[in-house]
């Protein structure tokens, strides 16, 4: 009868809800595994930055001529902007203004950003290091010969972003590059430990004023 | 009695054998997950090369003064030498003679080696590309502006070796670098597909003799 049909519909609805909840939980629990290949099409990341700065605010269209599609760059920015507590950066060169804006935004939002970079590249034209330091972000660099050639980021001590890509617009738009996104405790721990080692070693309190010859 | 004790000992031995077999199977089945950090201490890899060239042959001590210990470089060489069928290399720069010898050895042993590299770096002083080509290894390079900046290797379409490290002695001995070793079908497939795309794109049959301006 009608009562039976209603009960059947209610049961079906409950089953669907349970299924949806299970899928959502599985999605949340499933570790991120992603590979990004470059070059990336140039794209506008204003909408991503605006949403990260003020979640839920009405979108304002950006006047720039770039498309705001799904690109390797926009995916990289999304992963970075997912940081809630900490962002540890270990970057040979960092001159891409778009990525610098994403990092600054996280810093303003209260995420603890630490940045290690290469002494020989940080002063080059276009480097974003000075700007990030001005914004109050802690930066340390080596004082040795040999390059600090890593290009990795760790989000919330949980997600590793690493590859061949230097954070320069030239590399993003023109080079063949790869970036792995790995949410795996074993790999993350190895890189987090390496970060902490370098962070301590590059502590300005340890600087010698008679550095080894380059 | 004695018969019971003998039966007990036989059972124990059988159990231990089963356990040892299970551990060996688990070891074989367990995917490789490794992170190598550089700089690496300089080391002698002659023993590794000799063992790979002639497995089981009596070790001849190398007259060189370098230690032959467990280093990031020796681990990288070991992973490469584990190739049995194929080695696909996608390397921005390749000037390290030790790694070139390992690759040549694999080629001589019948492993199918393919190498993609960057046109602007392959001709530099110290590059091993010419030597590898002379040895009969297939090499392809880009004809574009922008760098072919990848630094990865795929062993037997099964194990991905990727990171920040260019295959130069300078980088191995002096730089802060990372290399991930990942035996994971999802990551390997992404890089294998990228390799095949580049390999086809750089097919000399497609060269234009009026390349775009650099």
């Amino acid at each position: 009868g009608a009562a039976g049909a209603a009960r059947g519909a209610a049961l079906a609805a409950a089953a669907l809800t349970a299924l949806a909840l299970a899928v959502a939980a599985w999605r949340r629990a499933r570790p991120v595994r992603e590979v990004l290949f470059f070059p990336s099409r140039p794209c506008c990341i204003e909408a991503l930055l605006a949403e990260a700065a003020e979640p839920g605010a009405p979108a304002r269209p950006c006047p720039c001529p770039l498309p705001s599609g799904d690109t390797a760059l926009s995916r990289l920015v999304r992963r970075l902007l997912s940081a809630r507590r900490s962002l540890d950066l270990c970057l040979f060169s960092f001159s891409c203004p778009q990525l610098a804006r994403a990092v600054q935004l996280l810093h303003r939002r209260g995420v603890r950003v630490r940045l290690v970079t290469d002494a020989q590249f940080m002063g080059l034209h276009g480097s974003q290091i000075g700007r990030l330091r001005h914004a109050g972000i802690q930066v340390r660099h080596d004082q040795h010969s040999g390059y600090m050639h890593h290009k990795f980021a760790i989000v919330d001590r949980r997600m590793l972003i690493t590859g061949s890509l230097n954070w320069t617009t030239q590399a993003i738009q023109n080079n063949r590059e790869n970036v792995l996104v790995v949410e795996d405790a074993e790999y993350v721990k190895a890189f987090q430990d390496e970060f902490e080692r370098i962070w301590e070693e590059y502590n300005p309190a340890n600087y010698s004023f008679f550095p080894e010859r380059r």
Side-chain angles (χ1 to χ4, degrees), chain A:
Chain A
R7 204 164 47 217
L11 269 174
L16 278 176
T17 307
L19 185 67
L21 285 172
V23 166
W26 175 78
R27 280 219 175 133
R28 262 200 308 278
R30 198 186 174 210
V32 172
R33 303 157 59 83
E34 195 173 21
V35 183
L36 306 175
F37 289 113
F38 294 79
S40 172
R41 277 176 296 119
C43 69
C44 173
I45 61 164
E46 293 308 313
L48 288 178
L49 293 173
E51 171 64 22
E54 224 181 318
R60 277 173 305 182
C62 176
C64 86
L66 293 174
S68 61
D70 180 35
T71 66
L73 174 62
S74 72
R75 280 169 179 243
L76 174 58
V77 169
R78 253 178 227 282
R79 293 299 181 200
L80 293 172
L81 291 177
S82 75
R84 290 296 170 269
R85 289 175 303 281
S86 67
L87 179 66
D88 293 322
L89 301 170
C90 205
L91 297 169
F92 175 55
S93 61
F94 190 169
S95 62
C96 171
Q98 289 178 303
L99 291 173
R101 287 189 56 208
V103 170
Q104 267 186 279
L105 192 153
L106 291 170
H107 171 67
R108 277 201 304 275
R109 216 166 66 183
V111 170
R112 183 194 184 201
V113 179
R114 295 183 293 174
L115 169 52
V116 166
T117 192
D118 184 78
Q120 286 151 87
F121 269 66
M122 62 186 276
L124 293 195
H125 184 70
S127 170
Q128 297 288 317
I129 302 297
R131 172 181 174 174
L132 295 171
R133 275 194 157 147
H134 270 288
I137 290 172
Q138 297 183 73
V139 178
R140 294 185 180 178
H141 59 80
D142 65 309
Q143 216 201 11
H144 298 279
S145 63
Y147 291 126
M148 200 313 292
H149 201 242
H150 288 307
K151 315 106 175 31
F152 70 81
I154 307 172
V155 172
D156 291 339
R157 306 178 76 89
R158 179 185 44 84
M159 186 195 294
L160 170 65
I161 298 172
T162 189
S164 66
L165 183 77
N166 290 310
W167 285 22
T168 73
T169 305
Q170 198 277 330
I172 290 167
Q173 295 185 1
N174 300 299
N175 290 0
R176 293 249 179 203
E177 307 272 5
N178 64 77
V179 170
L180 280 93
V181 185
V182 182
E183 208 176 29
D184 172 288
E186 200 175 325
Y187 286 115
V188 171
K189 182 178 186 315
F191 279 78
Q192 188 74 55
D193 290 351
E194 171 77 351
F195 183 87
E196 304 296 344
R197 264 194 303 274
I198 299 180
W199 185 252
E200 272 321 301
E201 186 183 320
Y202 294 178
N203 187 332
N206 301 332
Y207 284 179
S208 132
F209 290 92
F210 302 97
E212 60 171 301
R213 289 256 188 87
R214 286 185 189 277

